[in-house]
Amino acid sequence: MTAIPLQPPRRLVEFTLDGAATRVPEGATLLDACRAAGKDVPTLCEGDTLTPKNACRVCVVEVEGARTLAPACSRAAEPGMSVHTDTERTRHSRRLVLELLASSVDLSTTPRAAAWIVEYGAEPGRFGADAARLNEEPKVDNDLYVRDYDKCILCYKCVDACGEQWQNTFAIAVAGRGFDARIAVEHDAPLTDSACVYCGNCIEVCPTGALSFKSEFDMRAAGTWDESAQSETTTVCAYCGVGCNLTLHVQDNEIVKVTSPHDNPVTHGNLCIKGRFGYQHVQNRD
Amino acid sequence: MDLRFGDSKPTDEERAAVDAVLGPPGSAWEGAEDRDAADLRWARGGRAARGRRDLLLPGLHALNDRVGWVSEGGLDYLCRRLTVPPAEGYGVATFYSMFSVRPRPATVVRVCTDLVCGGAGLCGEVEARLASVPGVGVEASPCLGLCERGPGAVVVRAGPPAVAFPDPAPPRNHGAPPPGPPPVVLRARPQSPDGLAIPAPPAIGERGPGRSPGSGRGGAGEKTHATLTLAPATPDTLTLAALDPETFSSEAPPAPLPQAGQDTLILLRRIGSVDPASLDDYRAHGGYTALRRAFAIGPAEVIREVTDSGLLGRGGAAFPTGRKWQATAARPEQPHYVVCNADESEPGTFKDRVLMEGDPYALVEAMTVAGYAVGAHRGYLYLRGEYPLALQRLEHAIAQARARGLLGDDVLGQGYAFDIEIRRGAGAYICGEETALFNSIEGYRGEPRSKPPFPVEKGLFGGPTAENNVETLVNVLPILTMGAAAYAAIGTEESTGPKLFCVSGSVARPGVYELPFGATLGELLSLAGKPDNLRAVLLGGAAGGFVRADETDIPLTFEGTRAAGTTLGSGVVLAFDDTVPLPRVLLRIAGFFRDESCGQCVPCRVGTVRQEEALHRIVARTGADAADDIALLRDVGRAMREASICGLGQTAWNAVESAIDRLGAYE
């Protein structure tokens, strides 16, 4: 019989969430509590496999007694707290964050962004036609993936995934400051001259489509990308013996991109260059 | 960590600059050119090298000082020495405005174009004059902290002078000529571009140390750069200084001390009368009695005294210092740290500079007291990069204190070990935010961390940290010498003790004023020479708020300004007469925040840009014409205040809001 190790018991924290008494395990964030209670708090820079950087501020909630709003994704629940997730203050900040983002970057490939903009009544156009935008050209410097920083919201997820949280390659970082801050490799060189190992784990965590497979980028440019026509099949990578799970996204009987299930206890959505990009042999039928 | 370094090689100069900070490389694993047999047998570096990551900023300074910019080869070499990923090194180098990753002239003239100086015209004129001079560039700069005698400018020359130059002895008391050999005249007096002889320089220069940074790590006495502060700067003096910073006068200016000689002063008591270079003179003026008392009563009693004194932090947040120290001292994790925040970059603020330049030993003593109280054995003094004279005097003071047993393994023979390391900032206002300051020291981008955890729990290097402003720390000395009760009797019930105010702008006698808390704005302004046509006063600097000319009865206390719906901030009192175009001042404030936002969170990164755009649109509009954009400003400002990560974004709209609401700027 296999012994199943039990986690040490965790104390429960009691606090009030939108007026209702709530109990969550110690260390849980307010966002965890919201999700457990079935509340829909919008998030952009939060990712299920990474420690959130709480940089986007779209998940802010109101903690009674606090001068400023708190990011739900990283504020731990504390005993006795009284938290409100849907007040005029939180709605105002969320609306403004969406307006500020949508007026400066392209959110067209950000899942749910369009719906939130409607839900919170955001009007990105009100900053005028001359409002500063990123206006970055897509960086296409290799055959595997494209960096389209016009869509980048600087959530730091790719930096964390490439760096100490997962890949430990440290090929990318934030460079510059303020509105001019950008994700960059060393010396802002082309990707091919950088430390990048093309694991594609940054694509896996990118919430806006700023990082995408070259195949997806080309198909979107040609107008042939159609997610509704795609099927997903999760299988085991055949390259080595680790047994990573691959999810093949197939459109018209062609693999168009490869992701990996985040709930896999071994890989948590991470792959290597072969699993992520080495699928051409599958579809070479000659 | 398997780091990849490119093919770029450092030049000999760059290698020497980095090695002066880090020492020669021990093996090929950390950048030695020759690989020996042992290097092939085992890898060295690893955790030990990564543990030195906090030397990244000093290393970048060394490269920048020696060659004027940070090249690929130099940065890669520095990163290899410290096992820092080059992408992260690049991210740090591009964060600070004093560094450039593109080639630039060896000499850079940075002219303050901020609220008080407004030297945009000066900047243009100097640029035109120096346009044909190779190797000299001119840049506009945010506030250089020289507001009381603006327009201010800093001349930075990278690399050693053409001829070896004698190391300047630390300057003696104000006005006295420096001892030692007279400066060597390197070449004929430079001519101005139009061929006319440039008049001899007035004695207003402040010369920087010209040694390698890193306070004592290598490079002893070798001049690698020159930094010169000029205020007031004129096109003539700036041109001359840019052409030859070495031969420009090294005499310190007489510190403008409007209240000099008054016996009632506590914080400014020694400034102007004590020799800032002499430890003996400091002791003769009562120095080190506070530390002796601290040792006599023990750490817990020191904290009790500070708590009972009611001392509130003077950096702007007004947090009770005793509570901060108590919380730090009580943490079980080791080691504890003391950090002095000397990154004074708020436009209109220069009090900490005056304290550090005029009474450097007081800060050294106060940091030692703080360290003793909270159980720290190491203190970091984070000094803004634009204060060369303060750097030089503090380096000297720390070295003297160390030599005399007032710092080191056995302070005053009491068996308590404490030492101070100076860290030079590199041009980033955000690094005055306490957690951004920790990141900056640790060799990361100066981005604020989210709180909680607070620094008293998890601060510098993850240890419990007491972080205090210069003025706050210097207040601890009189608390210990006069006792908490006598100190608390000064000022008001809630705001105790003396307070320094930086008065500048449209007043007759700008400068640092020391008054007990409770004096009114009008009293302070009449001391400084209030103009007849006063229009408004900016209280608390760019992050503070405007008050009207008829509100001069506001008491200058934390509670009094709060009751009046404004803030005292760090003690900035910036007066504007009715000739100053308010919309332009607001644009400058908005531009400052846009430039200085670190870019981490959306409300601040994009919000500061949208705020500046809206102010540009309404610069000449009023009333109903401006209503749209004012509504937009209110929306953006509110989101910045409520949803930004740190104080920079949270306060970026204060001044603009107060100008609209209190002054009716666009009515």
Side-chain angles (χ1 to χ4, degrees), chain B residues 181-256:
Chain B
V184 181
V185 177
L186 301 179
R187 53 190 98 106
R189 185 166 290 288
Q191 302 285 305
S192 69
D194 57 7
L196 297 169
I198 293 170
I204 50 167
E206 297 170 358
R207 191 146 72 244
R211 284 186 295 276
S212 293
S215 73
R217 285 171 202 267
E222 189 196 355
K223 292 197 73 66
T224 59
H225 68 293
T227 311
L228 187 75
T229 313
L230 283 113
T234 64
D236 284 344
T237 55
L238 263 185
T239 310
L240 191 67
L243 292 174
D244 200 348
E246 295 295 341
T247 47
F248 205 80
S249 167
S250 65
E251 261 178 45

Side-chain angles (χ1 to χ4, degrees), chain A residues 6-265:
Chain A
L6 290 175
Q7 292 193 332
R10 298 173 81 184
R11 278 184 295 183
L12 292 177
V13 173
E14 285 188 50
F15 71 106
T16 321
L17 186 62
D18 287 335
T22 307
R23 295 207 292 177
V24 292
E26 196 173 29
T29 64
L30 296 180
L31 186 66
D32 295 335
C34 288
R35 287 184 172 159
K39 294 180 192 298
D40 182 28
V41 175
T43 57
L44 283 168
C45 72
E46 185 266 350
D48 54 353
T49 62
L50 296 161
T51 305
K53 188 78 179 168
N54 65 70
C56 78
R57 317 303 277 187
V58 77
C59 70
V60 285
V61 294
E62 193 172 335
V63 178
E64 263 180 39
R67 189 171 43 86
T68 55
L69 301 174
C73 66
S74 51
R75 174 64 60 86
E78 291 164 30
M81 251 182 178
S82 185
V83 180
H84 302 278
T85 63
D86 196 28
T87 62
E88 195 272 330
R89 279 179 81 191
T90 61
R91 292 187 72 85
H92 176 88
S93 282
R94 287 179 198 166
R95 171 168 68 90
L96 259 294
V97 164
L98 290 167
E99 282 178 350
L100 293 171
L101 273 180
S103 66
S104 55
V105 297
D106 173 8
L107 294 182
S108 63
T109 51
T110 305
R112 300 195 62 189
W116 287 328
I117 284 173
V118 173
E119 182 186 342
Y120 288 95
E123 301 168 48
R126 72 189 180 120
F127 299 114
D130 298 332
R133 287 186 60 88
L134 256 58
N135 283 333
E136 295 274 316
E137 285 298 310
K139 291 177 190 284
V140 189
D141 51 16
N142 65 87
D143 288 339
L144 299 184
Y145 78 94
V146 176
R147 300 177 286 161
D148 186 359
Y149 290 138
D150 200 37
K151 293 178 172 174
C152 176
I153 61 167
L154 276 185
C155 69
Y156 290 69
K157 271 186 187 170
C158 57
V159 176
D160 291 342
C162 186
E164 61 180 13
Q165 291 195 27
W166 286 117
Q167 181 63 24
N168 268 276
T169 293
F170 298 93
I172 46 181
V174 179
R177 188 166 85 188
F179 198 73
D180 298 326
R182 298 286 188 277
I183 303 292
V185 300
E186 63 268 31
H187 318 303
D188 209 9
L191 207 62
T192 44
D193 290 346
S194 77
C196 178
V197 297
Y198 301 92
C199 62
N201 292 333
C202 53
I203 308 176
E204 183 75 49
V205 297
C206 179
T208 64
L211 302 171
S212 67
F213 277 67
K214 178 88 166 25
S215 51
E216 176 177 346
F217 181 81
D218 289 344
M219 287 173 75
R220 281 187 188 276
T224 55
W225 182 259
D226 181 5
E227 259 168 50
S228 63
Q230 290 170 10
S231 62
E232 294 176 17
T233 307
T234 297
T235 180
V236 177
C237 181
Y239 276 106
C240 74
V242 171
C244 304
N245 284 10
L246 308 178
T247 300
L248 308 176
H249 297 243
V250 178
Q251 181 179 336
D252 297 333
N253 216 24
E254 292 271 323
I255 300 170
V256 290
K257 72 171 180 182
V258 177
T259 59
S260 180
H262 290 197
D263 57 3
N264 182 299

Side-chain angles (χ1 to χ4, degrees), chain B residues 120 124 255 286 469 661:
Chain B
N469 172 261
D661 288 346

Side-chain angles (χ1 to χ4, degrees), chain B residues 107-259:
Chain B
T107 301
V108 179
V109 181
R110 306 180 74 215
V111 184
C112 176
T113 56
D114 227 310
L115 297 176
V116 186
C117 295
L122 175 65
C123 192
E125 189 167 343
V126 176
E127 202 165 13
R129 284 205 191 187
L130 293 169
S132 58
V133 182
V136 179
V138 181
E139 288 175 6
S141 165
C143 183
L144 292 168
L146 300 163
C147 320
E148 83 276 28
R149 50 200 159 97
V154 175
V155 177
V156 183
R157 205 257 352 266
V163 180
F165 192 76
D167 200 35
R172 299 189 55 81
N173 212 345
H174 303 303
V184 181
V185 177
L186 301 179
R187 53 190 98 106
R189 185 166 290 288
Q191 302 285 305
S192 69
D194 57 7
L196 297 169
I198 293 170
I204 50 167
E206 297 170 358
R207 191 146 72 244
R211 284 186 295 276
S212 293
S215 73
R217 285 171 202 267
E222 189 196 355
K223 292 197 73 66
T224 59
H225 68 293
T227 311
L228 187 75
T229 313
L230 283 113
T234 64
D236 284 344
T237 55
L238 263 185
T239 310
L240 191 67
L243 292 174
D244 200 348
E246 295 295 341
T247 47
F248 205 80
S249 167
S250 65
E251 261 178 45
L257 273 179
Q259 295 160 299

Side-chain angles (χ1 to χ4, degrees), chain B residues 60 141 144-145 173 178 192 306 329 390 437 509 520 558 581 637:
Chain B
L60 288 169
S141 165
L144 292 168
N173 212 345
S192 69
V306 173
L437 192 157
R509 292 173 295 280
T520 65
F558 292 117

Side-chain angles (χ1 to χ4, degrees), chain B residues 13 48 97 110 126-128 145 147 161 183 193 337 375 394 403 407 437 455 598 633 639:
Chain B
E13 258 189 314
S97 64
R110 306 180 74 215
V126 176
E127 202 165 13
C147 320
Y337 292 99
L394 282 163
L407 285 175
L437 192 157
C598 77
L633 279 168

